[in-house]
Amino acid sequence: MPAARRSAAFDPISPDLDLDALVQQTPNFEYVTRISCDMIDTQGFEVFEKLVLIHVIIGGKPLVIEGFHKRLDEWTFTSAWLQDNLGKKFEQVRNLSKQSNMTLSIGHYLNNMSKLTNQWNPHNYRDRDRQRLYLKDIDCPEVWYEKLKAVIPPSIFYLNDSTGDVAGPGSVDEPNPHGTGLRKGRGVARAGDLMSCLPPTMRADNLMCYLGHEGTYTPAHREMCASLGQNLMVETSGTVDLDGKPTKPGSSIWFMTESKDRHLVSEYWLSTLGHDIEIEAHFAQINAWKCAPFTTYIVEQKLGDFILIPPLAPHQVWNRGTRTMKVAWNRTTVETLELALDEALPRARMVGRDEQYKNKAMIYFALDRYSDLLKRVDYQKRTAIQAPEALKSSPKIRQLQKDFRRLYALYTRLLLAEALPQNPREKMKIQYVPFDSNITCSFCRCNIFNRFLTCSSCVVPLENGDEDTYDVCLECYAMGRSCKCISGYRWVEQFKWQELTDKHERWRKQIIAFEGGLTDKSPQPLHMERQYSKKHPLAQVCQEQLRLRPWNDPKKPPSAPKLSKDADESRVNVNGEVVTTKKKKPLVIEKGHMKNHVSNYPEPIWKLGVCKCGRAYSYGSLWRAFDTAPLTVMEDPDWQCPHCQKICSCGKCRKIAGMQPYQPTGTVLGYDTRRVADPRSTESLVDFRQSNFEWVKKAGDDLPAGEETRRLSRRVDEAEAAKSQGAALDDAHYVNEGDNTPMTSGHAESSTSRAETSPNDIPIDPLLGSLPPTAKTPQRVPHEHTGGGENGIQNGDNDQPPYRFVAPSALMLDQREGQHQEQHHLGGGFTTDANGIVFQYPDPEDPDPTVPQYAPPQVEHRPQPPDSTDHGKKSKRSDVLQPDMLDPNEANELYHKAQVKRTLHEARRNNRYILAEAAMSGRSLSIKLKVNRDRFSQIVSQPPAQTMQPPVPSKPSMAIVQSDYPSPAAKKPVPNPLKRARIERDDNFSAKKATLQKTKKPLQPKDPQQKSASKYMEITSESEMEDGMDLDDSRAEKEEPKPRPLPAYLARKNDVGDNEIPKELSSEPKYRPSRRKSTLVDSAVDSGPNPSTRQASAKEPLDEATNVAEANRKAKLRALQWDQDEDPDDQLEPKVSPEKQAESANDKQTPALEPADIARVQQKGSSSVPSKAEAAAAAAVTPSGVPKSIFSRAKKVRVMAASNVEKRHTLGV
């Protein structure tokens, strides 16, 4: 099982790595070929396009174009521009330490990049708890896109729709976007990116930006769907930032391979490192790259370096310094589409990777677009709009015709796979759904072009009213992947079949026309292609499997297993013990079952591949033991089983003379797709989670560490054979004109030993010419070939014996101090082999073994316990554990023993060894204690004691950056919250005069049990509220005290010209002098200081608050005089000095209110009309029993007076 298999651990790169010394000292390390961007201008775009085609696409090697930073806008491609324009935009940042995402704003991330970088040093760079935050896969700003479009060569830029020249052959007039009138467009040529042929709504947005700091990385991976990768470094940090703070220079280290080594790299990852490169979850160690049996290309990407990545070439990236900012995109060509259909899509389907690029739909729409361009050329030839000879001899038009022919061949493959058997007796009902490119397989998540199967029973309603149907592609259903219904599917198509076949025939005639007529190499009609094919179409296979596979009701509970009639016999021996004798049960084969040839156990026929000889093999055995997929068996009507091919490797067939047991050609780790597939999914034919290690071990190919297996040797031979073919242009697919010479330069010389043999004299960066030759051909020595003839794989015409890679022993060691050649244990399930590669044995209870783990700190830096005797010492070779030589079950057992030993050691230190050892071994010791009956009853009645666990010390968090995304509570808008405001009815104030009796009894507070005469109204933040209304104290949040505005009548008076009254009151708590109480209302509502304080305060000078108090007093007098039907202007008192006001105030006595009047006001309802005394009492006391301020009192008096004045004017007074 994969859980018991060791895998390479994550080992980060030290910040002080000397990359130049590493490349010079490692034989299989080379620097990538470099050219200058100025050479593109000198040589021309056509020569540059041919260089990319020969070196990158066909040759499969990476290429670096340097110097683009001189052409980029230095003000736009900066972190300051991102901070100013996109600083508040939130993005998902990848936390590589915890393998999770966190939400950060771009500005917050940029501000903390220095902190994230400065946390690393050569001593703690292996710390697994420190943050590695990588801002990746964010959308490129539109401004950056426009500026890059003007700098990058058009043929390799994002979504390029034509590589033709302006006013070239086949060009037409088009509107001038920069002015009026028309202008000549580009000539007819193929597109630089076939993604541009899709409708805009179907295109994948893959123009992305990547921002990283020291310690962030991208695991080893291939570009999606075998596309071409482009990566440009637009900005890096220097030694000093813009604000003057010191920073570390930024760059990125790339470990790259070539396309022709892709199968070798994949097998090395599987068999040696224990990882699947398709999952993209492992960053390989430097020591693993050193020991690899292939050439590793190294790039230190700096500012302005533009890297071209070959299709299907594995590579990984490590960021250094304070800041690196990159822009990347992918392109799709005819070559990459062929690789996608043959390799990339089947591999992605196995692990459930999303298909974002819609490759099959791209073939259809690219043919449609190219057909229109060729029709235009044909029209211009017939009408002589342009010279016919120029159109015929144009290399770009001829190349377009060859690409059209290659796309047509891919389109024919798609139609043949989806062709259903033409049976006139059986009329199939196919549902039609218009194509919108959004239907994907529920299991593998690949995009579905036309036909697929859908289950009508597994329909889940969504919250928005839509239905989530279970749709499965034809490839997955043939592999046994489906929902739990297994069968009972309906056919669905997104294009009318007649429409697809009509276009296929029309495009076939178009090819025959520009090729000069019908020949033997001309494409055949679709029905002829079906007749020539010896295999069943994929759709026909699925239709047959729908008849064979039973339908299963997912809502029905599983049935109980049938009990055998022949039960085991039980008898009693002489000692009285019951002894069970197992009775041998006869092998009963039920109806619809056959015996599996490998396991000799009956299984349902629909789960077996049946040969004409009568033998049946399970699809799981064929997949793991004989590298045969289920579709290979189903589509071949003349399929022969391994026994008929004389390669069966089961136990019985191994004894047959002349039988050559098959040896697996590759490693299958197994992958659990339940984490990515729809929860309704199941695998009914093959359990793809299982590995083929048992079959590899039976074949004798499970060799110890450091020795090359036959599987790896076979991949090495295949890679060497592919490289020997060179990178020449095929005349059948490419136009190789004599005038299109390769790019050359007089001042560019070769810098590496490989450059001399590079195709077509590729120019090299002159700066690399002074470096000593660092790349050497890996040493290969002949060895006995053991896997060729047995598996039917021959060496071809190559008479030389196969070779295997021998890594120099001096460079296979870890160069760090303290490492030894022998394998030793680091603790925690980690070990190192003789090559210095750190491995780990995953925890069997770990639900996700594919999550990358971190290597522990170095042995010399890890503190050792005082009583430890088996750590920190150099182990002898005889004591070294060799995991590769062990059975997976034995390795798992050894790992379990190590855990037990570590647990017991910890228990001994805590004085709990006896209890821990007894609990782990399952042993117990019975002790009898004599307890009397009463004490025993008391003990039994007590509740069980809870075990006190010692407090676990919390480890301090090492997180430097926290998310600045607002919490959901703060982000959720509150729609106009309701507030309560206290109001009082106007009829509580009467215009009649009332005489209050004077009394010496103090004012009684309000009884809380009595009902208040005040009422409340609910208002919103948008409601209008009169000045002076008191809001309820229950507010969401209290604002800071602000200066209170003046009442409206004082503000109007201030506008007339009274400059002594301020526009707002002071917020400072200043002492107020006494006021003159001249009227009944003034006496009733006065709440000023006591008489002793008045005499002292009367001598103080008047300030701003005094003027306001005087203005309020005058306003109350005016309101009272209006109520007494007197002219307010004639009754105003003359202005009196503050000294006289204080003297007159001392002479007068303040009339007190009777408690009966106050109680009467509080008890009366709103319907009664109060008297003047009651009105004064209500104005003086709030519902809480506290006297009101002068502002609220003046407000109520003013409202009452205004009401009476309005009444008087209405009566005509």
Side-chain angles (χ1 to χ4, degrees), residues 586-640:
L587 183 62
V588 179
I589 301 179
E590 300 178 359
K591 184 179 179 180
H593 289 63
M594 288 187 67
K595 186 173 63 174
N596 185 3
H597 178 73
V598 177
S599 64
N600 202 22
Y601 186 81
E603 295 185 15
I605 296 179
W606 61 274
K607 290 187 177 182
L608 301 173
V610 183
C611 180
K612 293 182 179 180
C613 66
R615 295 179 178 86
Y617 286 75
S618 65
Y619 290 110
S621 300
L622 292 173
W623 170 254
R624 287 182 288 270
F626 304 99
D627 298 332
T628 303
L631 181 59
T632 305
V633 180
M634 299 173 184
E635 68 182 1
D636 189 0
D638 301 325
W639 175 75
Q640 292 183 347

Side-chain angles (χ1 to χ4, degrees), residues 556-850:
K556 185 178 179 180
S559 59
K562 297 181 180 180
L563 298 177
S564 176
K565 296 181 180 179
D566 300 329
D568 297 338
E569 294 182 354
S570 299
R571 60 184 180 85
V572 180
N573 59 7
V574 294
N575 298 327
E577 299 175 350
V578 178
V579 178
T580 302
T581 304
K582 291 186 177 181
K583 201 173 182 181
K584 188 175 181 181
K585 303 174 183 178
L587 183 62
V588 179
I589 301 179
E590 300 178 359
K591 184 179 179 180
H593 289 63
M594 288 187 67
K595 186 173 63 174
N596 185 3
H597 178 73
V598 177
S599 64
N600 202 22
Y601 186 81
E603 295 185 15
I605 296 179
W606 61 274
K607 290 187 177 182
L608 301 173
V610 183
C611 180
K612 293 182 179 180
C613 66
R615 295 179 178 86
Y617 286 75
S618 65
Y619 290 110
S621 300
L622 292 173
W623 170 254
R624 287 182 288 270
F626 304 99
D627 298 332
T628 303
L631 181 59
T632 305
V633 180
M634 299 173 184
E635 68 182 1
D636 189 0
D638 301 325
W639 175 75
Q640 292 183 347
C641 65
H643 182 85
C644 296
Q645 300 179 35
K646 304 297 181 180
I647 59 173
C648 185
S649 57
C650 68
K652 294 183 298 183
C653 294
R654 285 178 179 270
K655 303 176 183 179
I656 301 177
M659 189 71 66
Q660 297 180 354
Y662 183 84
Q663 299 179 5
T665 59
T667 305
V668 178
L669 286 180
Y671 182 70
D672 189 1
T673 56
R674 290 178 296 181
R675 292 170 294 178
V676 295
D678 193 285
R680 299 167 286 182
S681 303
T682 186
E683 293 176 341
S684 56
L685 295 184
V686 181
D687 187 3
F688 291 99
R689 296 173 296 173
Q690 305 294 330
S691 65
N692 66 343
F693 292 150
E694 292 295 332
W695 294 100
V696 169
K697 183 180 179 181
K698 289 180 179 180
D701 200 18
D702 193 15
L703 301 181
E707 297 188 20
E708 190 174 281
T709 62
R710 291 189 293 271
R711 292 162 289 156
L712 202 60
S713 301
R714 187 178 295 108
R715 300 304 183 188
V716 171
D717 298 337
E718 294 175 359
E720 292 295 334
K723 295 176 184 178
S724 63
Q725 297 178 1
L729 296 179
D730 185 7
D731 294 337
H733 295 156
Y734 301 100
V735 177
N736 191 6
E737 296 294 331
D739 54 348
N740 291 338
T741 56
M743 181 183 298
T744 57
S745 176
H747 60 276
E749 299 179 357
S750 176
S751 63
T752 61
S753 61
R754 291 263 180 174
E756 299 177 358
T757 60
S758 61
N760 300 311
D761 297 333
I762 298 172
I764 307 300
D765 181 12
L767 296 179
L768 298 179
S770 58
L771 296 178
T774 58
K776 300 179 181 179
T777 304
Q779 302 176 8
R780 308 187 61 81
V781 298
H783 75 291
E784 182 180 358
H785 187 63
T786 56
E790 296 180 357
N791 300 335
I793 300 177
Q794 303 297 333
N795 297 329
D797 299 331
N798 188 9
D799 297 333
Q800 298 179 359
Y803 295 92
R804 67 189 180 108
F805 178 80
V806 178
S809 58
L811 295 176
M812 293 174 65
L813 304 180
D814 194 351
Q815 301 298 328
R816 297 169 297 183
E817 181 181 358
Q819 291 283 9
H820 307 287
Q821 295 186 16
E822 292 83 357
Q823 174 181 342
H824 59 276
H825 300 275
L826 301 178
F830 293 92
T831 60
T832 56
D833 63 356
N835 300 329
I837 304 177
V838 181
F839 288 89
Q840 62 180 352
Y841 282 88
D843 189 354
E845 299 179 357
D846 187 6
D848 188 4
T850 61

Side-chain angles (χ1 to χ4, degrees), residues 4 64 132 656 846 1104:
V64 178
R132 302 178 188 267
I656 301 177
D846 187 6
E1104 184 175 321

